[in-house]
Amino acid sequence: MIARTNMITRLFTFAAMLVGIGQVGAQNLVALPKAALKQSDTPEKIELGKKLYFDPRLSATGTVSCNSCHNLMEGGDDGRATSMGVNGLTGPRNAPTVWNAVFQASQFWDGRAVTLEEQAKGPMVADVEMGMLGHDQVISRIKDIAGYTNDFQIAFKNDDAVTIENAVEAIAAFERTLITPNSALDRYLDGDEHAMSETQIRGMELFESIGCTECHSGPALNGWDIGSDAEFVEFPRFDTSPFVQAYDLATDLGRSQATGDNTDDHLFKTPTLRNVTLTAPYLHNGRVSSLAETCRLMASTQLDVELTDREADDLTSFMSALEGEFPEMTFPRLPSRSGESVIQAKVGSAINDQS
Amino acid sequence: MIARTNMITRLFTFAAMLVGIGQVGAQNLVALPKAALKQSDTPEKIELGKKLYFDPRLSATGTVSCNSCHNLMEGGDDGRATSMGVNGLTGPRNAPTVWNAVFQASQFWDGRAVTLEEQAKGPMVADVEMGMLGHDQVISRIKDIAGYTNDFQIAFKNDDAVTIENAVEAIAAFERTLITPNSALDRYLDGDEHAMSETQIRGMELFESIGCTECHSGPALNGWDIGSDAEFVEFPRFDTSPFVQAYDLATDLGRSQATGDNTDDHLFKTPTLRNVTLTAPYLHNGRVSSLAETCRLMASTQLDVELTDREADDLTSFMSALEGEFPEMTFPRLPSRSGESVIQAKVGSAINDQS
């Protein structure tokens, strides 16, 4: 694993040279881009994706939307240790934030989806999340909602446009708008040396000097080499750390559960640290409520460093410099199941049917 | 009950004379007001109320907000027969719309809350809805969320402002903004004779001539005499109607379950018909999916009238003229539980505690 994380450092250093980072004390950090759209992400696709993202009717019970566990009014997560899906069922891992997910090399804690599109397919049909029986049922549900067919036709310029591939493309297009630039760190990196407090700068210097940036680098502080295995790191790495037992860190085998390859045991995707102050509780199992405690835990298990209270506070303060600007968003109007479709359709009467 | 509904008609006729309704064929209908705020509803209270309305952390599991069952991106309801609250539990009745609820004389199907403020207290502590153990727990939860205390202090100009009374006052202030004026009917009543189609006008005339307006009158088409018992009607009234058994209409005793007075058996609040095309399924038990079928059912059980298919279609078409304009709304940013509070607080470490 050390080889893999060193590879990140090398790649990062190379990339950092290319973009010419110069701010003192921030050698391994870069500002978040202010846009992440693909050329094919039209306003119509984004708006459709927003509707689908917020529509609880894409779940078996009609109660769980993407936003239920990845709440855009909060940190893009749900504030729970593990998420609660349909019928009160809970999953095994903590919901990662959707904010800046476009800058992740892969999605899910085990990285089993490489793209946002592939990720979006998962929860719809996971029995403890949205609980649909299959993507055919999802599409059938969408087709039952008058208004969506038209939205799909306009977004994809195709009469037969209501497909799962188009649905997740629209959701991903919307998710590519979910970025939070202009954090204190970003403004600092852009040259405003007063953007961060002294404590935050001290925390940033510590973050670099003890080696956090070996993994938490790049614009989202989640590993730089997007698209490769390099984003995955062994966790816990120093398994004699007392935190391992205290927070049950060795039970979940991580990536190997997705790949079936036991050389992937205990590998986890490096999560973004953007807005991490807003996404308690922490870790893949959501067992740690305090961010300072999480900093101690990560230093101990990954770097074999025991932090003082002041160092943990400084690091936590630096994390607060990673809170970005959240775009102002308007609510979508979700198309109705009834409305015109009921009005126009010849609706049978239970009474008439009986007579 | 006939006496009560006749009283509505009389009161309505009097009120209609006062406001000088003149459009031909709309003797018993009035336009929806374009504002409903109280003088004490400041922008700060409204914004705080919006946050609370959308905050799932006010539920036991952190998964159910007011908006879960009264979804403002849809018809202000949840599209389910009966709502699903925490842990997958379901309640006994269909969620009424929150849109234009300010124009209801009382809230809940049995009218057990007279004000929006009183209504807002209920679901938080109902075990099948938001499931909190009591309002003390709600307030304790709100106080745990950094940011809310400041919001309450600003909205209520008081240091010790985080109280349940203030919380529901803020929610009610927000709900008083949830109105949908300028429907086709409203524009028609304001003098635009082309605002409604011929079918809609025919449906409106039928709506008045067969007696629907005996109960469905006033700006929200839900009874006129706001604040009195007159809004409650017997349902089903003609209990030999075949619809009664087909849709299990006689089981729920309605208002008497709230008052404990068996003279209130089978009384229900007259619901608003504004945006009714968007709030399927219908009735207190959510048993009817089709609006045309609901029109047949109501005519049969309440007026002893059997509608033809064309009449049911005309009435349904008139209902589509009741879809109003939904205000464009921006998402609130919900205050974080962690953030500064974690950063500033001295956080104990599980490891330090053990040593």
Side-chain angles (χ1 to χ4, degrees):
Chain A
M1 284 312 21
I2 291 171
R4 290 197 192 187
T5 51
N6 280 349
M7 185 172 74
I8 298 176
T9 310
R10 285 197 304 274
L11 280 162
F12 174 75
T13 306
F14 174 68
M17 282 161 54
L18 287 181
V19 296
I21 298 162
Q23 194 72 0
V24 174
Q27 277 74 16
N28 288 311
L29 297 166
V30 285
L32 197 72
K34 294 183 185 185
L37 289 181
K38 291 166 64 171
Q39 206 164 10
S40 56
D41 294 337
T42 59
E44 292 78 13
K45 278 186 202 170
I46 293 168
E47 186 60 26
L48 170 60
K50 189 199 224 179
K51 291 181 188 179
L52 294 169
Y53 187 90
F54 281 99
D55 201 327
R57 295 168 298 185
L58 301 195
S59 69
T61 54
T63 58
V64 178
S65 69
C66 303
N67 193 67
S68 297
C69 302
H70 303 285
N71 192 341
L72 297 179
M73 296 173 241
E74 302 184 60
D77 67 331
D78 58 7
R80 292 176 46 90
T82 62
S83 295
M84 180 173 276
V86 294
N87 296 309
L89 299 169
T90 52
R93 293 190 184 132
N94 183 259
T97 182
V98 68
W99 289 109
N100 306 303
V102 60
F103 301 114
Q104 299 274 9
S106 61
Q107 309 298 329
F108 298 112
W109 278 99
D110 53 22
R112 65 185 183 275
V114 172
T115 64
L116 291 173
E117 288 81 352
E118 199 183 331
Q119 189 281 330
K121 286 184 188 172
M124 293 174 184
V125 296
D127 55 1
V128 298
E129 299 185 47
M130 297 167 83
M132 297 294 268
L133 296 176
H135 291 123
D136 286 351
Q137 193 186 24
V138 175
I139 291 306
S140 166
R141 185 74 69 92
I142 293 173
K143 285 182 173 172
D144 276 350
I145 300 170
Y148 266 134
T149 298
N150 192 43
D151 289 343
F152 273 79
Q153 286 169 343
I154 290 172
F156 291 96
K157 305 185 196 318
N158 181 343
D159 279 350
D160 190 27
V162 186
T163 65
I164 190 66
E165 297 304 332
N166 286 348
V168 299
E169 185 178 327
I171 291 171
F174 171 60
E175 289 176 342
R176 281 186 281 272
T177 70
L178 302 177
I179 61 178
T180 63
N182 303 324
S183 69
L185 173 66
D186 295 316
R187 286 180 278 122
Y188 181 84
L189 292 173
D190 283 348
D192 176 3
E193 61 188 28
H194 301 295
M196 295 211 296
S197 70
E198 275 182 35
T199 316
Q200 288 174 330
I201 292 172
R202 208 162 56 223
M204 179 181 69
E205 288 167 348
L206 185 65
F207 187 79
E208 298 207 325
S209 66
I210 63 175
C212 304
T213 46
E214 276 188 42
C215 299
H216 291 290
S217 60
L221 296 93
N222 67 323
W224 181 267
D225 187 30
I226 292 187
S228 91
D229 265 3
E231 196 187 40
F232 298 100
V233 292
E234 189 174 5
F235 177 78
R237 202 163 131 190
F238 294 94
D239 57 12
T240 55
S241 160
F243 285 95
V244 173
Q245 198 167 354
Y247 292 112
D248 189 26
L249 303 182
T251 305
D252 188 334
L253 295 180
R255 184 159 173 74
S256 65
Q257 297 200 299
T259 62
D261 177 353
N262 64 13
T263 66
D264 288 334
D265 276 357
H266 297 292
L267 294 195
F268 286 87
K269 191 188 67 168
T270 305
T272 179
L273 297 184
R274 295 275 173 188
N275 309 302
V276 69
T277 43
L278 308 178
T279 62
Y282 299 104
L283 304 182
H284 64 272
N285 60 12
R287 288 286 297 273
V288 189
S289 301
S290 148
L291 187 51
E293 177 80 343
T294 307
C295 290
R296 283 189 203 94
L297 179 155
M298 292 302 292
S300 174
T301 62
Q302 302 308 96
L303 301 167
D304 200 18
V305 169
E306 303 305 315
L307 298 179
T308 65
D309 281 357
R310 177 176 159 156
E311 287 172 333
D313 286 349
D314 287 352
L315 278 179
T316 310
S317 186
F318 169 56
M319 303 291 159
S320 73
L322 302 176
E323 285 183 30
E325 281 178 12
F326 292 86
E328 183 168 286
M329 282 197 289
T330 55
F331 285 102
R333 289 290 318 153
L334 302 184
S336 171
R337 256 196 305 188
S338 48
E340 288 301 318
S341 66
V342 169
I343 294 161
Q344 301 303 338
K346 200 71 185 166
V347 182
S349 161
I351 304 304
N352 291 343
D353 290 350
Q354 284 170 5
S355 63
Chain B
M1 282 318 12
I2 290 171
R4 290 198 192 188
T5 51
N6 280 349
M7 185 172 75
I8 297 176
T9 310
R10 284 197 305 275
L11 281 162
F12 174 75
T13 305
F14 173 69
M17 282 161 53
L18 287 181
V19 296
I21 297 161
Q23 193 73 359
V24 176
Q27 277 75 16
N28 289 310
L29 297 166
V30 285
L32 197 73
K34 295 184 184 184
L37 288 182
K38 291 166 66 172
Q39 207 165 7
S40 57
D41 294 337
T42 60
E44 292 78 14
K45 277 187 202 170
I46 293 168
E47 186 60 27
L48 170 60
K50 189 198 223 179
K51 292 180 188 180
L52 295 170
Y53 187 90
F54 281 99
D55 201 327
R57 294 169 299 185
L58 301 195
S59 68
T61 54
T63 59
V64 178
S65 69
C66 303
N67 193 66
S68 297
C69 301
H70 303 284
N71 192 340
L72 297 179
M73 296 173 239
E74 302 184 62
D77 68 330
D78 58 6
R80 292 176 47 90
T82 61
S83 295
M84 180 173 276
V86 294
N87 296 310
L89 299 170
T90 52
R93 293 189 184 132
N94 183 259
T97 181
V98 68
W99 289 109
N100 307 302
V102 60
F103 300 115
Q104 300 273 9
S106 61
Q107 309 298 329
F108 298 112
W109 278 99
D110 53 21
R112 65 185 182 275
V114 172
T115 63
L116 291 172
E117 287 81 354
E118 198 182 333
Q119 190 282 331
K121 286 183 188 172
M124 294 173 183
V125 295
D127 54 1
V128 298
E129 299 185 49
M130 298 167 83
M132 297 295 269
L133 296 176
H135 291 124
D136 286 352
Q137 194 186 24
V138 175
I139 291 307
S140 166
R141 186 75 68 91
I142 293 174
K143 285 181 173 174
D144 275 350
I145 300 171
Y148 267 134
T149 298
N150 193 41
D151 289 342
F152 273 79
Q153 286 169 343
I154 290 172
F156 292 95
K157 304 185 195 324
N158 182 342
D159 279 351
D160 190 25
V162 187
T163 66
I164 189 66
E165 297 303 332
N166 285 348
V168 299
E169 184 179 328
I171 292 172
F174 171 61
E175 289 176 341
R176 282 187 279 273
T177 70
L178 302 178
I179 60 178
T180 64
N182 304 323
S183 68
L185 172 66
D186 296 316
R187 287 180 277 121
Y188 181 84
L189 293 173
D190 284 347
D192 176 2
E193 61 187 28
H194 301 296
M196 296 211 296
S197 71
E198 277 183 33
T199 315
Q200 289 174 329
I201 292 172
R202 209 163 56 224
M204 179 181 68
E205 288 166 348
L206 185 66
F207 187 78
E208 297 209 325
S209 66
I210 63 175
C212 304
T213 45
E214 275 188 42
C215 300
H216 291 290
S217 59
L221 296 93
N222 67 323
W224 182 267
D225 186 31
I226 293 187
S228 90
D229 265 4
E231 196 187 38
F232 299 100
V233 292
E234 189 174 6
F235 178 78
R237 202 163 132 190
F238 293 95
D239 58 11
T240 55
S241 161
F243 284 95
V244 173
Q245 199 167 353
Y247 292 112
D248 189 26
L249 303 182
T251 305
D252 187 336
L253 294 180
R255 184 158 174 75
S256 66
Q257 298 201 300
T259 62
D261 178 353
N262 63 13
T263 66
D264 288 335
D265 275 358
H266 297 293
L267 294 196
F268 285 87
K269 192 187 66 169
T270 304
T272 179
L273 297 184
R274 295 275 173 188
N275 308 304
V276 68
T277 43
L278 308 178
T279 61
Y282 299 105
L283 304 182
H284 64 272
N285 60 13
R287 287 287 296 273
V288 189
S289 301
S290 148
L291 187 52
E293 177 79 343
T294 307
C295 290
R296 283 189 202 93
L297 179 155
M298 291 303 290
S300 174
T301 61
Q302 301 308 96
L303 301 167
D304 200 18
V305 168
E306 303 305 315
L307 297 178
T308 66
D309 280 358
R310 177 176 161 159
E311 287 172 333
D313 285 350
D314 286 352
L315 279 179
T316 311
S317 185
F318 169 57
M319 304 291 159
S320 73
L322 303 176
E323 285 183 29
E325 282 178 13
F326 292 86
E328 184 169 286
M329 282 196 290
T330 55
F331 285 102
R333 288 293 315 155
L334 302 183
S336 171
R337 256 194 307 187
S338 47
E340 288 302 316
S341 67
V342 168
I343 294 161
Q344 301 303 337
K346 200 73 186 167
V347 182
S349 161
I351 303 305
N352 292 343
D353 291 349
Q354 284 169 4
S355 62

